[in-house]
Amino acid sequence: MAPLFPTAAIFQDAFSTQVPFARSSPPPPPDTGSKSSYVPPSRRFSAWSAVDDVKSKAGALSNEAQKEIAKASSAAQAKTGQMELFSPSYYAACTFGGLMACGVTHTAVTPLDLVKCRRQVDSKMYRGNFEAWGKIGRAEGMRGIFTGWAPTFFGYSAQGAFKYGGYEYFKKFYSDLAGEDAAYRYKTGLYLAASASAEFIADVALCPFEAVKVRMQTTIPPFASSTFGGISIITGKEGTAGLYKGLYPLWGRQIPYTMMKFASFETIVEAIYGQMPKSKSEYGKTVQTGVSFAGGYLAGILCAIVSHPADVMVSKLNANRQPGEAFGGAMNRIYKDIGFGGLWNGLVIRIFMIGTLTSLQWGIYDSFKVFMGFPTTGGAAPPPKQTATLMSEAVSHGRGGAGNIRPDSEPYVDGSIVREGPLGDQGDGPYSSGRGGAGNIESPHVKPTNVGNQKGDTDVVPETALREPGAGYENYHTGRGGAANVHKEHEENEEHKEGLVDKIKHKIVHKKE
C-alpha cells in the first residue's frame, strides 16, 4: 500500500537540482519473481552517460586511427625498403620531413605573421591583433588575412628541407670528426655547429621568397598578387640582387634562432626524459612525440627572444631599404628611426607564434620519422662504449683505491715495489724473483745464470709511481696505496752497503755449503 504522506526521498528528489548527475539513484525494487517495471537511471536520463559515451567513442576512434597509421607506416616502410640510420635514404627522409614540418606550419600562422610584420614596420598601425584582423577582414576579406601565404609556403618548405636534413647530416659529420667520446662530452657545441651550418645553406633558399612575402605583407595594397609575379617585379627593378638584399640580416636572425632551436630542444628533451621513470626507448610513439611537442614549445620561446631584434630589422630592410643604399647605412638609418625599443616591437605575438610553430614543427618532424621507422630526435643515452669510457676515466679500480667508493678524477697507479735480479743464488742470501715468487721465502741454491755487474736484487719502482720530476719529490715513490709516503733511502747510483746482519747470514750460508 502506498504511503499517505510523501517520504523524505520524494522531497529530496522533487526539490533537488534538475541535473540528473546530482540525483541519488533509487534502489532497485526487491525481486518478487515477477517482471519488474524498474528502469535504470542511465536509461531514464539520456545525458546520464553522455560523457562516458564520448570518451568511449573517442578512445575507439583513437585506436582505429593508430591502427590505420601503423598500417600506412608499415606499407611505406615496405615500399621504400629498410632504411639504415645515416644512409642517403635516411637523410632524404629527414629532408622531406623538414619540408612538411616547416612549410605547413609557417603557412598556418600567416595571419599572425601578417600582423607582426605590419606592426614592426609601423607600430601605430594597429593597437592589437584582433583589431588588425578585424580591419583587414572588413577591407579585404579572409584572403587579405592570409596575405603572403604562397611565398611563405614555398620559402619555408625549402628552408625546412635544408634545415632539418642538413642538421641530421652535419650532426653526424661533426660527430665523426670529433670522435664518440668528444662528441658526447661537447654535444651542445656539436648541436650548435651542426644547426648553424644547416641554417647557413637553408637561408639562401629562403631569402628570395622571404623578400616577396615581406613586401606583400607590408604594402597596402600588396605590390604583387602572386609569388612568382612578385619575383618578376623585384628582379625587373633591382635585378637578382634585389631578392637577396635581406640575406645578411636573415642570417643574423635565422642562424642564432636555429642554433637556439636545435640546441635547446635537444637539451630540454634530454632533461625531460631524465626526469621520467623509464628510458626513452621504453615509451611508445605517442609519448615520444608528446615530449617532442613540449620540448619544441619551450625551445620556441627562447628562439623568439634571441632572434627578434634581427627579425624586426629584416622587415624594415625589406620594406624601407632604398635602391643602391648600403647595408650598413640602411641599418644605421633604421635604428636611428626606431631606437632600441623599436627592435622589440611585436615580441609578445612573436613568442606565441614561434612557440606554436616550433612545437608543431618538432611534433610533425618526429612523427614523420617514427612513421618511417626512425627514432625521434634527442633524449637518447650515450652508447655503451662511450659510457664505459667515461666511467673508466672517472673511477679508479686499483687495489684499495678510493675510486672504488666514489667517482674520483685523480689517477691512481699501483706503485708496489718489487725485488728483481738475475735468476739464481748470488751468494748474498735470500732473493726475490718477483711478487709472490718462491725466492721470497728462501734461496733455492740455484747457480747464478747471469752475474755480470749485478751481484744482487734491487728495488724496481715503476715510473708511473714516481712524483713529477723537479717538484722536490725525486726521492719519493708512491708505493702500494701510498701517497708519496715512502722515502727512497738510497740513490739509484749509490752502491748498497752490506750490513752486520747480512755478513753473519752470509757466513752461515757458506759454512753449510
Side-chain angles (χ1 to χ4, degrees):
M1 181 177 178
L4 181 61
F5 297 99
T7 62
I10 294 176
F11 278 113
Q12 180 181 0
D13 186 67
F15 294 102
S16 63
T17 176
Q18 296 301 310
V19 180
F21 298 101
R23 297 184 179 181
S24 59
S25 301
D31 188 7
T32 59
S34 61
K35 186 176 180 181
S36 174
S37 60
Y38 172 73
V39 180
S42 59
R43 293 177 59 186
R44 283 188 286 138
F45 302 102
S46 59
W48 190 280
S49 58
V51 176
D52 291 335
D53 290 342
V54 171
K55 287 182 178 179
S56 61
K57 290 179 181 179
L61 289 174
S62 177
N63 293 334
E64 289 297 326
Q66 290 181 5
K67 290 180 181 179
E68 292 299 323
I69 293 174
K71 289 180 182 179
S73 177
S74 301
Q77 294 179 38
K79 187 175 181 179
T80 57
Q82 184 65 31
M83 296 185 187
E84 296 183 359
L85 286 175
F86 313 120
S87 63
S89 57
Y90 168 77
Y91 293 123
C94 293
T95 300
F96 185 75
L99 183 149
M100 291 177 55
C102 291
V104 173
T105 53
H106 275 275
T107 304
V109 296
T110 298
L112 290 170
D113 191 37
L114 171 65
V115 177
K116 184 257 311 177
C117 287
R118 288 186 176 180
R119 294 188 70 183
Q120 286 176 344
V121 174
D122 185 1
S123 60
K124 299 179 180 179
M125 182 177 292
Y126 308 115
R127 290 179 297 178
N129 297 318
F130 291 101
E131 178 191 352
W133 292 326
K135 288 184 177 180
I136 297 171
R138 286 190 295 271
E140 308 173 46
M142 185 59 66
R143 182 177 180 178
I145 295 177
F146 278 87
T147 298
W149 74 267
T152 298
F153 177 77
F154 290 120
Y156 283 94
S157 293
Q159 186 223 30
F162 286 104
K163 178 190 292 187
Y164 281 88
Y167 176 72
E168 298 286 354
Y169 173 79
F170 284 113
K171 184 167 69 169
K172 174 63 175 172
F173 178 75
Y174 292 142
S175 178
D176 291 341
L177 285 180
E180 291 183 346
D181 291 345
Y184 182 74
R185 285 172 177 267
Y186 308 107
K187 54 189 174 183
T188 302
L190 188 144
Y191 301 149
L192 294 172
S195 57
S197 301
E199 187 61 37
F200 182 86
I201 299 172
D203 287 344
V204 177
L206 169 63
C207 194
F209 299 99
E210 180 75 1
V212 175
K213 179 199 74 108
V214 171
R215 293 195 187 190
M216 289 178 68
Q217 292 179 335
T218 55
T219 55
I220 303 175
F223 84 108
S225 59
S226 65
T227 302
F228 295 99
I231 291 176
S232 298
I233 293 174
I234 294 175
T235 54
K237 292 182 178 180
E238 307 173 36
T240 306
L243 297 173
Y244 290 93
K245 68 181 184 180
L247 181 59
Y248 291 157
L250 188 64
W251 276 334
R253 179 189 77 183
Q254 289 297 128
I255 290 179
Y257 166 86
T258 303
M259 292 170 70
M260 178 64 73
K261 174 180 179 178
F262 282 87
S264 61
F265 173 80
E266 296 261 13
T267 304
I268 291 170
V269 167
E270 185 176 356
I272 291 174
Y273 281 116
Q275 297 299 317
M276 297 174 72
K278 296 186 291 186
S279 62
K280 174 185 175 181
S281 59
E282 296 180 76
Y283 291 101
K285 300 176 182 178
T286 304
V287 174
Q288 291 189 18
T289 52
V291 171
S292 297
F293 185 89
Y297 201 93
L298 295 174
I301 295 174
L302 300 175
C303 294
I305 296 173
V306 168
S307 62
H308 190 73
D311 183 65
V312 173
M313 190 60 68
V314 168
S315 298
K316 289 284 189 179
L317 285 169
N318 280 312
N320 299 327
R321 187 176 178 183
Q322 304 300 324
E325 186 178 17
F327 171 73
M331 286 190 62
N332 288 333
R333 176 179 58 81
I334 292 171
Y335 185 77
K336 289 179 180 178
D337 292 339
I338 64 175
F340 180 77
L343 294 175
W344 302 97
N345 288 335
L347 176 61
V348 176
I349 188 62
R350 190 163 185 267
I351 286 177
F352 176 75
M353 184 184 76
I354 296 300
T356 305
L357 271 177
T358 309
S359 60
L360 289 174
Q361 286 173 7
W362 279 114
I364 294 172
Y365 178 68
D366 277 347
S367 296
F368 182 76
K369 288 179 71 175
V370 169
F371 182 82
M372 298 303 296
F374 302 123
T376 58
T377 308
K385 181 178 180 181
Q386 290 178 325
T387 304
T389 304
L390 294 174
M391 288 291 291
S392 65
E393 293 178 353
V395 180
S396 169
H397 297 286
R399 181 182 304 171
N404 289 325
I405 303 172
R406 63 184 183 277
D408 191 351
S409 60
E410 181 179 355
Y412 289 88
V413 179
D414 186 2
S416 180
I417 305 171
V418 297
R419 301 283 293 178
E420 295 181 359
L423 181 63
D425 189 354
Q426 307 300 316
D428 58 354
Y431 76 104
S432 169
S433 60
R435 184 184 301 165
N440 287 327
I441 303 173
E442 185 57 60
S443 173
H445 303 288
V446 180
K447 295 298 182 181
T449 57
N450 181 18
V451 179
N453 296 327
Q454 186 175 0
K455 298 298 183 181
D457 46 320
T458 57
D459 288 347
V460 176
V461 182
E463 293 183 2
T464 53
L466 299 175
R467 284 292 185 95
E468 295 181 4
Y473 299 103
E474 290 82 1
N475 296 332
Y476 286 82
H477 61 75
T478 59
R480 181 181 302 172
N485 57 336
V486 182
H487 186 273
K488 292 193 298 184
E489 297 182 356
H490 305 284
E491 296 292 339
E492 294 182 359
N493 57 0
E494 183 179 348
E495 295 184 1
H496 177 68
K497 297 180 180 179
E498 189 175 28
L500 178 62
V501 177
D502 291 334
K503 292 180 179 180
I504 298 174
K505 180 177 63 176
H506 291 169
K507 289 182 178 181
I508 296 174
V509 172
H510 288 304
K511 286 182 178 180
K512 289 182 179 180
E513 293 178 352

